Amino acid sequence: MDAIRRHELLATYRDGLLNDTLPFWIEHCVDRQHGGFMMSLDRDGSVIDTDKGVWQQGRFTWLLGELYNNVEPREEWLELAKHGARFLDAHCFDPSDGRMWFHVTREGLPIRKRRYAFSESFAAIAYGELFKATGDEQYAEKAKQTFQRFIDHNLNPRGVEPKFTSTRPSRGIGFPMITIATAQELRESIGLPDADDWIDRSIDDIRRFHLKEEIQCVMETVSPSGEIIDHFDGRQLNPGHAIEGAWFIMLEGKLRGDASLIQTGCRMLDWMWQRGWDQEHGGILYFVDVDGRPVQEYWHDMKFWWPQNEAIIATLMAHEFTGDSKYADWHKSIHDWTYSHFPDPEFGEWFGYLHRDGRISSQLKGGLWKGPFHMPRMQLTCWQLLAASSP
Amino acid sequence: MDAIRRHELLATYRDGLLNDTLPFWIEHCVDRQHGGFMMSLDRDGSVIDTDKGVWQQGRFTWLLGELYNNVEPREEWLELAKHGARFLDAHCFDPSDGRMWFHVTREGLPIRKRRYAFSESFAAIAYGELFKATGDEQYAEKAKQTFQRFIDHNLNPRGVEPKFTSTRPSRGIGFPMITIATAQELRESIGLPDADDWIDRSIDDIRRFHLKEEIQCVMETVSPSGEIIDHFDGRQLNPGHAIEGAWFIMLEGKLRGDASLIQTGCRMLDWMWQRGWDQEHGGILYFVDVDGRPVQEYWHDMKFWWPQNEAIIATLMAHEFTGDSKYADWHKSIHDWTYSHFPDPEFGEWFGYLHRDGRISSQLKGGLWKGPFHMPRMQLTCWQLLAASSP
C-alpha cells in the first residue's frame, strides 16, 4: 500500500464521513418536534416512517459524542448528542422493569421490546461519550447502569418468554462480541473499572467456544460447551459478524500490546474471509453454511452494507498491525468492490441492501436496522488507522 | 384457452403431482425410525436437518388424506397419513397447555412454540381427512378440537407474551383467510357444523377491514377498525397471500352458487395482480409497498414458489368461473414463467427461492417453511378445475 493510495484512502474515509454521511443524517433525521432521530429514510432522505428504533437513537448519539471527543469539539455535534440522550432518557426505558424498548413511536410511545438487550449496550456507549464531553457525572452513572443491565439481562434474562425450549441450548457469539466493543468504549469514555475483566472473559469465551482450529472457522452459534450443533441454526455462519469480532480483538491486542490477541483476530479474519468472500461476484456474503450446504435464511446471499464495512476495517487494521501485504490486497478487494456498489452518487450516503451481484435491491437509506453506525464507524476507524501511521 | 392447451395443462398438473412431487417426498421424507416426516431436504432429497416442522407434519398428512379421499384410495397414501397423524398425536402437542409446537426434534422433543396457532389449523384438516378415509370418530373429534384451539387462540391468545405493546393494535388478513380454508376443508371432511358461520364471519372481516375499493388494494395488516397504518408494517402488501385469499373466496362462491363471492375474489385478484406481478422480470413479487415506496423486509423482491402457486390457482379458477379471457392470459403468464424457472429437471420437485430475475438463490427443497403443500395443492386443484370442465 503506497503513500499515494494511503493518502487517497484517508481522504475518502475522512471526507466521506464529514462531508457526506454526517450531513445526510443531520439534515434529514433530527426530530426537533418530538426529540430524538427519525432514521427510516427513503433514498432522498425523506422520512418514510416516523417510528424510532432505539438501537439507532443510542448509536447516533454515540457517534456524535465520539466525533466531538475525538475529531473536534463542534458544538453542533454535542448539542445533537444531548438531543439524542434526552430522547433515550424520556422515552426508551420501560419503567416497569428498567429495560429498554427496541421500537417506539415518533412521540416515544413503546411499540416493541425484544428478548435481547442490545438497546442497552448502544445507550451505554452513548452516555459514556456524553460524560467524556461534558464531565457530567449523571451520564457516567447512566452509562454504568445500562452496561450492567445489558450484562445482567444477557447472563440471566428475566421477564421474557424464551424463544426456544431447553431441549437444545446454545450460545451465540453476539453477546461476548458486543461486550468487548462496549467495554472498550466505556473504558475509554468513563474509565469503566471492570472493563478489562469483561473483555478478558469475552475473548476467552470466543476462543474457547467459537473458534474451531480443526475446521478453520468461527462458529456463530454453538452448544453451551462449544460443540457444533448439526442443524440449520448451528451450521449457519455470519462471516461479516465474525470479522467484526476479529477487529475488536485485534484492537484490544494493539491497546494492550498483546501480540497473541492480534494473532487471534487475524486468524478469525483469515478463516472467515475464505468463507465469506464471494469469489464469483465480490463482496462479503451474509450467511453461509459451515459445510457449504444451503442455509435456511432467505437473504443469505445478499450483500448488506455492514459486513462490507466490518471487512474494510478488519483488513486495513490487520495490515496496519502486522504489515502483511495479504491484508492490503484483501483491503483493496473489499474497499474497491464496496465503493463501486454502495454509495449513492445522486442523494448521498449509501444503499444498504444489494443483490449478490451488486444490483440494488432496496433504495432504503435507513430503518430499524440501518442507521448512522457501521458505515461512519468504518469511515472514522479507517481514517484514524491511516492517520496514526502517516508520516 | 383451447382444448389442446387445456389437455396439456391438465396432464402437467396431474402428472407432476403423481409422478414427481409425491414420489420425491415419499421417497425422501418419511422417518420410519422415529415417525413423522423429515422435510428439510437438500436439492437431491438428502436430509439436511433432521428436525421436524409441525406445520409440515400436518400439511403432508392432510395432502395424503386428501388424495386418498379424492383421487384414489391407494393404501400407501392412507398408511402414510396415519403415520403422520401418529407423530402429531405423540409429539406435537404441549401437554401443559394443549397448544401445538412449531418445531420439534427428530425424536419429537419440543424446540419452539410460536405465538400463532397455525400448527393447529393444519393438524385439524389432516385429522379431518383421516376421519373421512377411515370413519374413525376419534379423528373427527381431534379435528374439531384442534380447529377450536386454532380459533380460540387467535381470538384470545393466552399464555404468550405479545410481540407488540398495545400502542398500535392491528389485525392481519392471515387469520380470517386460514379460517376460511380450514372451515372449507372441515365442512367437507367431517361436516363441521358451524363451518358456514366461520366462513361468513371471515369473508365479512376481509371485505370490511382489508378490501380498499378507493385504492384498489387488499391490505395485509390494518388497524382494528380497518384504517391503513401508515408505517412500514401497515403499508406492506403480500400480493401472493391476498391472491391465495382471493381463490378461497371464489371457491366459496362456486360451492354456494353465490356470484357476489366470485366477484369479490376476482376483484381481489385483479387488484393484487396489478400490484404483485413483476412487469420487468415476470412472476409475483413477495412484498410491495402500498405507495410504491421501499419496504423493510430484506427478501421483498425475491420470487418464492408459493405466491406463484397461489396465482396459478387463482387465475385458472377465475377463468373457469367467469370465462373472462383476461384470466386465461394471466394464467398463461404466471404458469409459463413459473414452469420455466422453478422445476428442478435433475432431481425433481421445485426450487423454492429464486432471485427477482428467476436465478436460483437456494437449492433447498424443503425446510421449516417449504414442504409438500402449496405446490401439490396447486397441482391437485388445477387438475380438478380442468377435469371438471373437460368434455
Side-chain angles (χ1 to χ4, degrees):
Chain A
M1 203 183 279
D2 65 22
I4 295 171
R5 171 79 174 171
R6 297 180 72 86
H7 183 77
E8 283 171 3
L9 285 172
L10 188 153
T12 297
Y13 297 128
R14 179 196 60 210
D15 299 346
L17 175 63
L18 299 179
N19 304 334
D20 176 32
T21 314
L22 275 174
F24 182 89
W25 290 101
I26 290 175
E27 179 180 347
H28 297 296
C29 82
V30 182
D31 185 356
R32 291 291 173 194
Q33 196 179 341
H34 294 280
F37 310 112
M38 291 187 284
M39 298 295 198
S40 294
L41 304 183
D42 207 345
R43 182 182 176 184
D44 62 3
S46 57
V47 174
I48 192 171
D49 190 330
T50 54
D51 285 353
K52 290 165 183 166
V54 176
W55 284 20
Q56 308 304 345
Q57 307 300 309
R59 285 167 155 190
F60 195 35
T61 302
W62 166 81
L63 178 70
L64 291 157
E66 175 81 8
L67 293 170
Y68 180 88
N69 290 324
N70 297 291
V71 172
E72 58 177 76
R74 283 197 205 172
E75 272 312 310
E76 182 190 31
W77 292 344
L78 182 59
E79 185 271 319
L80 285 172
K82 288 179 179 170
H83 172 92
R86 279 195 300 274
F87 192 83
L88 288 171
D89 290 342
H91 301 297
C92 297
F93 290 83
D94 179 355
S96 81
D97 65 0
R99 282 207 51 222
M100 294 188 76
W101 301 106
F102 172 72
H103 176 177
V104 301
T105 66
R106 181 174 183 187
E107 297 78 14
L109 295 172
I111 295 276
R112 188 177 170 200
K113 193 190 285 171
R114 292 183 83 209
R115 295 180 177 92
Y116 321 100
F118 295 111
S119 293
E120 284 82 346
S121 65
F122 299 125
I125 60 174
Y127 288 128
E129 294 304 320
L130 275 164
F131 166 72
K132 191 174 172 185
T134 64
D136 184 339
E137 284 290 345
Q138 286 182 54
Y139 288 125
E141 197 45 47
K142 285 178 192 167
K144 257 180 259 176
Q145 280 171 5
T146 45
F147 177 70
Q148 199 54 50
R149 195 79 209 186
F150 161 70
I151 293 285
D152 290 347
H153 184 75
N154 274 285
L155 294 180
N156 182 23
R158 268 179 295 198
V160 293
E161 200 178 329
K163 185 165 181 178
F164 299 101
T165 66
S166 57
T167 298
R168 187 183 293 149
S170 65
R171 62 165 70 234
I173 202 171
F175 172 60
M177 266 178 59
I178 301 294
T179 303
I180 297 170
T182 306
Q184 285 173 335
E185 287 293 325
L186 293 177
R187 183 175 56 193
E188 206 262 337
S189 61
I190 65 167
L192 183 76
D194 50 358
D196 283 1
D197 286 350
W198 279 112
I199 293 169
D200 288 340
R201 287 174 60 163
S202 301
I203 294 176
D204 201 50
D205 280 359
I206 291 173
R207 279 176 159 163
R208 189 167 356 155
F209 301 120
H210 295 274
L211 266 53
K212 301 292 165 203
E213 185 72 47
E214 59 285 10
I215 56 166
Q216 310 258 301
C217 192
V218 183
M219 301 303 297
E220 186 76 12
T221 309
V222 288
S223 80
S225 54
E227 277 114 41
I228 291 178
I229 300 171
D230 191 17
H231 293 279
F232 279 124
D233 290 352
R235 287 200 306 263
Q236 183 170 280
L237 310 177
N238 187 330
H241 202 223
I243 287 171
E244 183 182 8
W247 75 256
F248 295 164
I249 295 174
M250 281 185 230
L251 179 65
E252 191 63 18
K254 182 71 172 180
L255 292 171
R256 294 190 188 187
D258 181 340
S260 83
L261 291 180
I262 295 178
Q263 213 172 34
T264 294
C266 287
R267 213 163 58 215
M268 291 170 68
L269 170 59
D270 291 349
W271 295 348
M272 300 315 280
W273 178 273
Q274 295 303 335
R275 290 173 180 269
W277 175 257
D278 183 351
Q279 299 278 356
E280 196 177 334
H281 296 283
I284 300 289
L285 293 160
Y286 201 106
F287 290 123
V288 296
D289 181 270
V290 65
D291 301 323
R293 290 189 275 181
V295 297
Q296 201 170 223
E297 295 293 357
Y298 309 143
W299 62 96
H300 66 104
D301 69 354
M302 288 179 70
K303 302 284 164 60
F304 280 37
W305 80 105
W306 69 263
Q308 325 308 323
N309 295 151
E310 302 308 325
I312 287 172
I313 297 175
T315 51
L316 182 64
M317 192 178 281
H319 179 257
E320 298 299 296
F321 292 176
T322 69
D324 188 335
S325 67
K326 167 180 83 178
Y327 296 123
D329 295 342
W330 289 359
H331 179 263
K332 182 168 166 43
S333 298
I334 184 68
H335 174 96
D336 290 357
W337 194 87
T338 302
Y339 273 83
S340 66
H341 289 92
F342 281 92
D344 178 1
E346 196 171 336
F347 293 100
E349 237 269 353
W350 286 19
F351 298 112
Y353 305 93
L354 309 185
H355 290 296
R356 182 174 175 187
D357 60 8
R359 285 172 307 121
I360 294 163
S361 168
S362 167
Q363 302 203 327
L364 213 58
K365 288 284 167 63
L368 282 173
W369 310 105
K370 182 174 184 288
F373 183 66
H374 288 278
M375 203 265 273
R377 184 175 71 171
M378 172 203 76
Q379 293 172 316
L380 178 63
T381 307
C382 291
W383 168 18
Q384 290 171 327
L385 281 167
L386 289 162
S389 59
S390 285
Chain B
M1 205 182 279
D2 66 21
I4 295 172
R5 170 81 175 170
R6 297 180 73 86
H7 184 76
E8 284 170 2
L9 284 173
L10 188 152
T12 297
Y13 297 128
R14 180 196 60 211
D15 299 347
L17 176 63
L18 299 179
N19 304 335
D20 175 31
T21 314
L22 275 174
F24 182 89
W25 290 100
I26 290 174
E27 179 180 348
H28 297 295
C29 82
V30 181
D31 185 355
R32 292 291 174 194
Q33 196 179 340
H34 295 279
F37 311 111
M38 291 187 284
M39 298 296 197
S40 294
L41 304 183
D42 206 345
R43 182 182 177 184
D44 62 2
S46 56
V47 174
I48 192 171
D49 190 330
T50 54
D51 285 353
K52 290 165 183 165
V54 176
W55 285 20
Q56 309 303 346
Q57 307 300 309
R59 284 166 155 190
F60 195 36
T61 301
W62 166 81
L63 177 70
L64 291 157
E66 175 82 8
L67 293 171
Y68 180 88
N69 291 324
N70 297 291
V71 172
E72 58 178 76
R74 284 196 205 174
E75 273 312 309
E76 183 191 29
W77 293 343
L78 182 58
E79 186 271 320
L80 285 171
K82 288 179 181 171
H83 172 91
R86 280 195 300 275
F87 192 84
L88 288 171
D89 290 341
H91 302 296
C92 298
F93 290 83
D94 179 354
S96 81
D97 65 1
R99 282 205 53 221
M100 295 188 78
W101 302 105
F102 172 72
H103 175 180
V104 302
T105 67
R106 181 173 183 187
E107 296 78 14
L109 295 173
I111 296 275
R112 188 177 169 199
K113 193 190 284 169
R114 292 184 82 209
R115 293 181 178 92
Y116 322 100
F118 295 112
S119 293
E120 284 82 346
S121 66
F122 299 125
I125 60 173
Y127 288 128
E129 293 305 319
L130 275 164
F131 166 73
K132 190 173 173 188
T134 65
D136 184 341
E137 285 288 345
Q138 287 183 53
Y139 287 125
E141 197 45 47
K142 285 177 192 168
K144 257 179 258 176
Q145 281 171 3
T146 45
F147 176 71
Q148 199 54 50
R149 195 81 209 186
F150 160 71
I151 293 285
D152 290 346
H153 184 75
N154 274 284
L155 295 181
N156 183 23
R158 269 179 295 197
V160 293
E161 200 179 330
K163 184 167 181 177
F164 299 101
T165 66
S166 57
T167 297
R168 187 183 294 150
S170 65
R171 61 165 69 235
I173 201 170
F175 172 62
M177 264 178 61
I178 301 295
T179 302
I180 297 169
T182 306
Q184 285 172 335
E185 287 293 326
L186 293 177
R187 183 176 57 194
E188 206 263 335
S189 61
I190 66 167
L192 183 77
D194 50 359
D196 284 0
D197 287 348
W198 280 113
I199 293 169
D200 288 341
R201 285 173 60 164
S202 301
I203 294 176
D204 202 49
D205 280 359
I206 291 173
R207 279 175 159 164
R208 192 172 349 160
F209 301 120
H210 295 274
L211 266 53
K212 302 292 165 202
E213 186 72 46
E214 58 285 10
I215 56 167
Q216 309 259 302
C217 192
V218 183
M219 301 304 296
E220 187 76 13
T221 309
V222 288
S223 80
S225 54
E227 278 113 41
I228 292 177
I229 300 172
D230 190 16
H231 293 279
F232 278 123
D233 290 353
R235 287 200 305 264
Q236 183 171 279
L237 310 177
N238 187 331
H241 201 222
I243 286 170
E244 183 182 10
W247 75 255
F248 294 165
I249 295 175
M250 280 184 229
L251 180 64
E252 191 63 20
K254 183 71 173 182
L255 292 170
R256 296 190 187 187
D258 181 340
S260 83
L261 290 180
I262 296 176
Q263 212 171 35
T264 294
C266 287
R267 213 164 56 213
M268 291 170 67
L269 170 60
D270 291 349
W271 295 346
M272 299 315 281
W273 178 272
Q274 296 302 335
R275 290 174 180 269
W277 175 257
D278 183 352
Q279 299 278 356
E280 196 177 335
H281 295 283
I284 300 288
L285 293 161
Y286 201 108
F287 290 123
V288 294
D289 181 273
V290 65
D291 300 324
R293 290 189 275 181
V295 297
Q296 203 171 221
E297 295 293 358
Y298 310 144
W299 62 95
H300 66 104
D301 68 354
M302 287 179 70
K303 304 284 163 61
F304 280 38
W305 81 105
W306 70 261
Q308 325 308 323
N309 295 152
E310 302 308 327
I312 287 172
I313 296 175
T315 51
L316 183 64
M317 193 178 280
H319 179 256
E320 297 300 295
F321 292 177
T322 69
D324 188 335
S325 67
K326 167 180 81 176
Y327 295 123
D329 295 342
W330 290 357
H331 178 263
K332 181 168 168 42
S333 298
I334 184 68
H335 175 96
D336 291 356
W337 194 86
T338 302
Y339 273 83
S340 66
H341 289 92
F342 281 92
D344 178 1
E346 197 172 337
F347 294 99
E349 237 269 350
W350 287 19
F351 298 111
Y353 305 94
L354 308 185
H355 290 295
R356 182 173 175 187
D357 59 8
R359 285 172 306 123
I360 294 163
S361 168
S362 167
Q363 302 204 330
L364 213 58
K365 288 284 167 64
L368 283 173
W369 310 105
K370 181 174 185 286
F373 183 66
H374 288 278
M375 204 264 275
R377 184 175 71 172
M378 172 203 77
Q379 293 172 316
L380 178 63
T381 306
C382 291
W383 168 19
Q384 289 171 326
L385 280 168
L386 289 162
S389 59
S390 285

